[in-house]
């Protein structure tokens, strides 16, 4: 299977503070890759760098065989790479429908807006009900669904998810992870997911990487990680 | 009664002027979070633009926006791109930069005109309409109509069209907007350009009402600041309604109390509104969050 995303020797940070050090991993097409690690390990920074929000100081990011290192964040949805940021970051004073519409802002997604909107509403019936409500008034679970749906509006090949279950009830978190699994298994979407709920995410993931102080400490299959409690104890204090 | 109605009419017509001048200022603030001190100078440039169009092409000031507004749009875009964009992330510096721009524009116009006060004329500006006992100059009615059309059209554009939604998205969360594929810098530039174009339009329509001087922008920017804070920072509807509140307050207080007190009364109304609604009349509940939140 070919790789959807290849990250090589990636170093990045904020101003003069380095956070990521020579991070390297591959994301196979159609698979769910989990990235786990303690608070402050650099998971959000890693996703933000891949998505173009932070310029790396070193290294390379290749998406679909194309070098996107240092590309503008606003160019990436058009290429098929979408990030659902921590907390969803919906536009609070816009309706659910407007949020979704903006998800298809990329010029190549605009012609398919109507069809895509129907598909997404079918997949997330709750959003159909809440269509005309301001996104700021959604519940935590609805907000996360809407954020995922919004990212799907541009028909991405690769979806980056930053802690989609944070702040949700265990039941709601499970439903969000179910949706992620379904997207990968049924629609062939490649997913990179950062999660604090380590066991839950390893259960749906194919591969996993542990990020520790800005470095990849361990990589393996999700099954290996699940089987080896010691890994989880060492790196995540579980 | 007739007297009262006349004062109200004067207040409304003055309010139309304030509304028209404030809408662009509030658009710029709402989207880019820059208090553009040079907005009054854009109005001033619009007035001189109307003058130039009349001298050069014999154009009526009410037709002049056709050339003046696009010219100010272009100027606004250039100013944003070369002056303000490099200062992104340093809001204080951007405010100082607009203050510097104010000085430069004033001085350039002063140097060009040698300080001679100029005026334009239009046949329409001589007409006065009467509605029962109330006398209203057509020139001021046109400003009021323009303010209404501009506020309505801008509100519609922001609410309904895709570029309008993209601009609102940038105002609400610029990082998320970037993740949607929106070119944030370009939206800032467009917003600043549209704000400047609206000031240019205002300048053309105000040109027949005032004799021009390079410093005339000051007369507009001060009430405009009151208007946008009253109406709600970043709100188009707020700028529109706020203009009338300021205009009416000035007219009524100036007539019934004392012309010297009109600003004091305006200030009291201002404080009262902010005590009742800290976000301004049209500020969305929680606008501190959307309008003034630190964005990362
Ligand atoms: N905007 C920022 N400016 C400066 N430093 C930052 C910024 N954001 C994060 N950091 C720092 O970078 C490091 C990594 O942060 P990051 O948010 O990537 O961690 P994380 O693994 O996502 O943590 P969490 O699990 O809490 O979300 C931390 O030390 C943090 O303090
Ligand atoms: Mg994080």
């Amino acid at each position: 299977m070919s790789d959807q995303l290849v990250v090589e020797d990636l170093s990045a940070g904020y101003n003069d503070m380095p956070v990521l050090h020579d991070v390297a991993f591959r994301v196979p097409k159609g698979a769910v890759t989990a990235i786990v690690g303690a608070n402050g390990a650099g998971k959000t920074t890693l996703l933000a760098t891949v998505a173009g929000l932070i310029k790396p100081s070193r290294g390379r990011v290749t998406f679909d065989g194309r070098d996107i290192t240092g590309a503008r964040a606003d160019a990436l949805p058009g290429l098929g790479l979408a990030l659902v940021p921590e907390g969803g970051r919906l536009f609070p004073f816009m309706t659910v429908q407007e949020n979704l519409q903006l998800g298809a802002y990329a010029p190549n997604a605009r012609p398919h807006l109507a069809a895509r909107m129907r598909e997404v509403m079918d997949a997330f019936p709750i959003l159909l009900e809440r269509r005309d409500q301001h996104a700021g008034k959604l519940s935590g679970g609805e907000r996360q669904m809407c954020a995922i749906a919004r990212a799907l509006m541009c028909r991405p090949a690769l979806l980056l998810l930053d802690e989609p279950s944070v702040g949700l009830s265990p039941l709601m978190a499970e439903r969000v992870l179910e949706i992620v699994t379904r997207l990968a298994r049924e629609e062939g979407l490649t997913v990179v997911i950062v999660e604090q709920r380590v066991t839950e995410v390893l259960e749906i993931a194919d591969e996993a990487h542990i990020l520790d102080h800005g470095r990849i400490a361990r990589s393996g299959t999700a099954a290996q990680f699940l089987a080896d409690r010691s890994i989880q104890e060492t790196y995540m204090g579980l | 009664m007739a007297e009262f109605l006349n004062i109200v009419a004067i207040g409304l017509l003055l309010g139309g002027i304030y509304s028209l001048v404030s809408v662009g200022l509030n658009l710029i603030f709402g989207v880019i979070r820059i208090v553009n001190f040079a907005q009054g100078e854009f109005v001033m440039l619009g007035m001189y633009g109307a003058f130039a169009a009349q001298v050069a092409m014999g154009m009526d000031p009410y037709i002049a926006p056709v050339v003046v507004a696009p010219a100010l749009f272009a100027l606004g875009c250039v100013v944003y791109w070369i002056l303000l964009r490099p200062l992104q992330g340093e809001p204080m510096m951007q405010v100082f930069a607009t203050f510097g721009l104010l000085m430069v524009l004033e001085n350039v116009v002063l140097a060009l005109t040698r300080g001679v006060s100029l005026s334009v004329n239009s046949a329409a500006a001589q007409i006065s309409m009467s509605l029962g006992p109330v006398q209203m100059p057509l020139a001021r009615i046109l400003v009021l109509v323009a303010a209404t059309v501009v506020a309505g059209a801008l509100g519609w554009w922001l609410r309904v069209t895709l570029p309008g939604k993209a601009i609102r998205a940038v105002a609400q969360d610029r990082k998320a907007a970037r993740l949607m594929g929106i070119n944030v810098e370009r939206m800032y530039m467009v917003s600043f350009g549209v704000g400047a174009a609206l000031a240019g339009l205002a300048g053309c329509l105000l040109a027949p009402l005032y004799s021009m001087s390079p410093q005339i922008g000051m007369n507009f920017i001060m009430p405009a600041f009151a208007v946008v804070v009253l109406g709600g920072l970043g709100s188009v509807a707020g700028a529109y309604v706020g203009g009338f509140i300021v205009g009416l307050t000035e007219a009524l207080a100036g007539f019934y109390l004392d012309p010297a007190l009109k600003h004091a009364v305006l200030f009291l109304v201002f404080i009262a509104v902010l005590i009742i609604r800290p976000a301004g009349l049209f500020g969305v509940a929680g606008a501190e969050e959307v309008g003034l939140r630190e964005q990362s």
Side-chain angles (χ1 to χ4, degrees):
Chain A
M1 199 158 31
S2 60
D3 291 323
Q4 183 71 257
L5 182 76
V6 182
V7 173
E8 297 165 280
D9 297 334
L10 195 70
S11 299
Y14 302 91
N15 299 323
D16 285 333
M17 195 184 82
V19 172
L20 301 176
H21 310 276
D22 301 322
V23 170
F25 63 97
R26 290 165 176 272
V27 175
K29 268 198 177 117
V32 175
T33 299
I35 296 185
V36 294
N39 289 117
K43 306 180 296 294
T44 296
T45 307
L46 176 58
L47 292 193
T49 308
V50 170
L53 292 171
I54 298 172
K55 300 265 173 277
S57 53
R58 227 170 84 76
R60 183 155 54 172
V61 181
T62 312
F63 168 66
D64 246 345
R66 179 201 288 250
D67 186 349
I68 58 159
T69 319
R72 296 174 57 94
D74 51 56
L76 295 177
L79 298 178
L81 189 158
L83 165 66
V84 179
E86 231 167 344
R89 297 190 85 138
L90 295 173
F91 303 113
F93 293 97
M94 290 208 232
T95 64
V96 166
Q97 188 163 24
E98 287 176 314
N99 267 278
L100 295 177
Q101 188 184 357
L102 286 166
Y105 184 84
N108 54 353
R110 276 179 223 176
H112 313 291
L113 174 67
R116 193 60 180 158
M117 187 81 82
R118 271 195 301 278
E119 287 171 21
V120 163
M121 294 280 191
D122 281 346
F124 300 87
I126 187 70
L127 297 181
L128 187 61
E129 270 175 53
R130 299 275 182 270
R131 190 171 52 181
D132 298 315
Q133 193 169 318
H134 274 184
K137 300 225 165 93
L138 297 176
S139 74
E142 290 165 350
R143 197 171 300 176
Q144 202 48 252
M145 306 270 189
C146 186
I148 294 173
R150 184 177 68 173
L152 294 174
M153 287 298 294
C154 70
R155 290 177 185 275
L158 171 63
L159 187 65
L160 310 175
L161 293 159
D162 196 351
E163 301 202 22
S165 80
V166 75
L168 302 185
S169 67
L171 195 69
M172 208 59 219
E174 196 179 314
R175 282 190 47 200
V176 167
L177 292 179
E178 259 169 42
I179 287 167
V180 173
T181 319
R182 199 179 67 210
L183 289 170
R185 302 287 174 263
E186 291 172 17
E187 312 206 2
L189 188 69
T190 309
V191 176
V192 174
I193 179 169
V194 162
E195 257 299 340
Q196 298 276 5
R197 296 175 197 260
V198 177
T199 317
E200 288 88 335
V201 78
L202 288 177
E203 272 162 5
I204 67 156
D206 300 294
E207 300 190 351
H209 305 277
I210 296 180
L211 198 63
D212 182 36
H213 292 95
R215 294 172 202 277
I216 299 276
R218 298 288 285 266
S219 298
T221 66
Q224 278 171 347
F225 279 53
L226 269 178
D228 189 348
R229 289 291 301 182
S230 70
I231 297 177
Q232 299 181 30
E233 277 160 22
T234 313
Y235 295 105
M236 280 152 290
L238 295 179
Chain B
M1 188 61 191
E3 188 180 80
F4 175 74
L5 288 177
N6 265 302
I7 302 301
V8 168
I10 289 171
L12 284 176
L13 295 173
L14 188 63
I17 295 175
Y18 292 158
S19 295
L20 186 60
V21 172
S22 306
V23 167
L25 180 71
N26 224 8
L27 173 72
I28 291 173
F29 182 81
V31 178
I32 322 179
R33 311 280 145 70
I34 291 179
V35 176
N36 178 25
F37 275 93
Q39 190 74 4
E41 278 54 45
F42 287 158
V43 176
M44 180 268 291
L45 286 182
M47 297 175 102
Y48 280 95
F51 175 81
Q54 183 155 73
V55 171
M57 298 179 270
M59 207 178 251
D60 189 276
Y62 293 104
I63 312 288
V66 178
V67 289
V68 172
L72 267 127
F73 176 80
L75 177 71
C77 290
V78 170
V79 163
Y80 177 76
W81 205 256
I82 65 177
L83 182 69
L84 300 174
R85 190 180 55 105
L87 299 175
Q88 232 172 57
E90 301 182 65
M92 277 322 279
M93 293 308 290
Q94 288 181 319
V95 170
F96 286 132
T98 70
F99 200 78
L101 180 65
L102 174 163
M103 303 290 209
V104 169
L105 293 177
E106 249 188 57
N107 284 307
V108 166
V109 174
L110 185 64
L112 287 176
T113 63
R114 304 260 157 239
V116 177
S117 84
L118 303 168
S119 55
V120 293
N121 36 55
S122 162
Q126 312 308 323
I127 301 171
S128 186
M129 319 258 285
S130 48
L131 193 85
V134 181
Q135 284 292 320
M136 295 185 286
L138 179 62
R140 288 182 177 248
I141 296 177
L142 287 174
V143 174
L144 190 147
V145 170
T148 308
V149 171
V150 161
L154 184 65
W156 175 85
W157 185 70
L158 288 172
R159 240 186 359 265
V160 175
T161 70
L162 189 62
K165 287 177 188 180
I167 284 183
R168 279 159 60 215
V170 169
Q172 290 176 31
D173 188 333
R174 82 174 95 104
K175 193 192 270 183
R178 205 164 261 144
L179 290 173
M180 301 299 104
I182 297 169
N183 184 327
V184 172
E185 286 77 26
R186 190 183 299 161
M187 288 302 152
Y188 282 172
M189 182 186 80
V190 168
S191 306
F192 202 83
V194 170
L198 292 177
L201 168 71
C204 292
L205 302 185
L206 295 177
L209 290 170
Y210 296 85
S211 90
M212 291 168 215
S213 74
Q215 295 85 12
I216 197 165
M218 268 299 164
N219 301 344
F220 301 119
I221 199 70
M222 283 309 165
F225 283 155
V227 167
V228 297
V229 176
L230 260 183
L233 288 165
S235 156
V236 171
Y240 180 69
V241 176
F244 292 106
I245 294 176
V246 173
L248 281 171
T249 308
E250 262 195 49
L252 292 170
F255 187 80
Y256 287 107
L257 298 174
D258 187 325
L261 281 179
K262 65 182 184 185
H263 288 122
V265 173
L266 179 59
F267 189 65
L268 287 179
V269 172
F270 188 84
I271 299 290
V273 168
L274 291 187
I275 288 172
I276 301 163
R277 286 193 62 116
L281 289 175
F282 281 71
V284 206
E288 302 88 270
E289 232 188 299
V290 97
L292 301 170
R293 174 183 62 181
E294 267 301 282
Q295 286 199 354
S296 54

